[in-house]
Amino acid sequence: AQKVTQAQTEISVVEKEDVTLDCVYETRDTTYYLFWYKQPPSGELVFLIRRNSFDEQNEISGRYSWNFQKSTSSFNFTITASQVVDSAVYFCALSEITGNQFYFGTGTSLTVIP
Amino acid sequence: NAGVTQTPKFRILKIGQSMTLQCAQDMNHNYMYWYRQDPGMGLKLIYYSVGAGITDKGEVPNGYNVSRSTTEDFPLRLELAAPSQTSVYFCASRGLDRGDSPLHFGNGTRLTVT
């Protein structure tokens, strides 16, 4: 069973629009960790944020914000006032405390049109 | 601090040839991973290691082999290259026993098998 689902395959927005990338996860662990990674066109994978399952506070970092809701098993990522440099593939990932593996979603490709 | 270093960056193989993708990290991380990334398919785990001398299969291990003789190095071996192994390969590492430790990725190796 897929543990991390990113239903949005591709999204296009016009510069300065807000955009939300969805991430839904599945786990039986009560303690787990969620991550977002960015993969720009240059290809490297860049760590953006992690969240513990017992900390449901939303987080804001500049134009980026993350909304974690255990009730809906979601960890969504919002970019406010998008910029061309935000164009990338974004991956959501889950790490369970009982295992050694990371589970990645299939990624959402975001294109910001100038 | 180099982080995770992968070599080579690009390689073209003929069907049936063999090669080793090199991965080294200088962060003293116990956990190391090999992923492959196919277009639109996200990241799939090939093999991982929780420490020197210990390796385990991931989701797509067929056609690959690994070894972990030192903490720093985690090479990936392709014995009989096939077109299905055309992909971008990422090596990653994470710290010891910390479920919230993010993966640190290398810059990837783009492999084409023709």
Side-chain angles (χ1 to χ4, degrees):
Chain A
Q2 192 169 0
K3 289 183 178 281
V4 179
T5 301
Q6 294 180 257
Q8 303 153 307
T9 306
E10 295 180 0
I11 300 176
S12 291
V13 298
V14 177
E15 200 171 22
K16 298 184 183 178
E17 286 184 346
D18 299 347
V19 59
T20 296
L21 310 182
D22 298 333
C23 173
V24 175
Y25 62 91
E26 175 187 335
T27 180
R28 293 181 179 177
D29 286 6
T30 55
T31 301
Y32 51 90
Y33 307 92
L34 297 162
F35 303 81
W36 276 94
Y37 283 83
K38 176 181 180 180
Q39 186 176 41
S42 51
E44 72 273 23
L45 284 149
V46 179
F47 164 65
L48 293 177
I49 192 172
R50 66 173 158 244
R51 175 59 70 210
N52 302 326
S53 57
F54 40 86
D55 181 3
E56 287 195 71
Q57 273 193 327
N58 292 331
E59 177 132 354
I60 298 174
S61 176
R63 296 183 298 105
Y64 294 173
S65 62
W66 290 268
N67 180 267
F68 175 37
Q69 291 193 339
K70 287 180 78 169
S71 60
T72 56
S73 297
S74 64
F75 186 43
N76 297 336
F77 174 27
T78 297
I79 302 174
T80 302
S82 60
Q83 299 177 1
V84 173
V85 293
D86 296 327
S87 296
V89 179
Y90 292 87
F91 291 97
C92 180
L94 166 73
S95 173
E96 295 171 325
I97 198 169
T98 55
N100 301 313
Q101 298 188 28
F102 263 61
Y103 300 94
F104 283 88
T106 51
T108 297
S109 177
L110 174 65
T111 301
V112 181
I113 304 166
Chain B
N1 194 346
V4 179
T5 302
Q6 288 184 241
T7 55
K9 291 184 180 180
F10 304 95
R11 184 72 186 267
I12 298 174
L13 281 181
K14 294 187 186 296
I15 295 171
Q17 286 185 322
S18 61
M19 77 163 293
T20 299
L21 281 66
Q22 301 291 345
C23 176
Q25 52 90 11
D26 60 2
M27 298 173 282
N28 201 32
H29 284 170
N30 275 7
Y31 292 72
M32 295 188 74
Y33 304 79
W34 274 105
Y35 288 90
R36 60 177 286 172
Q37 184 180 24
D38 300 319
M41 299 298 292
L43 292 157
K44 294 193 174 182
L45 181 64
I46 305 171
Y47 271 96
Y48 67 100
S49 169
V50 301
I54 306 169
T55 62
D56 210 345
K57 296 178 180 179
E59 183 183 359
V60 289
N62 291 344
Y64 306 94
N65 279 299
V66 293
S67 59
R68 185 93 182 273
S69 56
T70 67
T71 298
E72 294 77 21
D73 300 299
F74 190 40
L76 178 71
R77 179 85 177 160
L78 283 71
E79 290 295 348
L80 291 170
S84 61
Q85 293 177 306
T86 294
S87 189
V88 179
Y89 292 84
F90 287 97
C91 179
S93 71
R94 67 188 291 193
L96 172 67
D97 283 346
R98 290 282 303 271
D100 64 343
S101 295
L103 289 176
H104 298 263
F105 284 91
N107 287 333
T109 295
R110 185 175 295 274
L111 176 67
T112 302
V113 182
T114 62

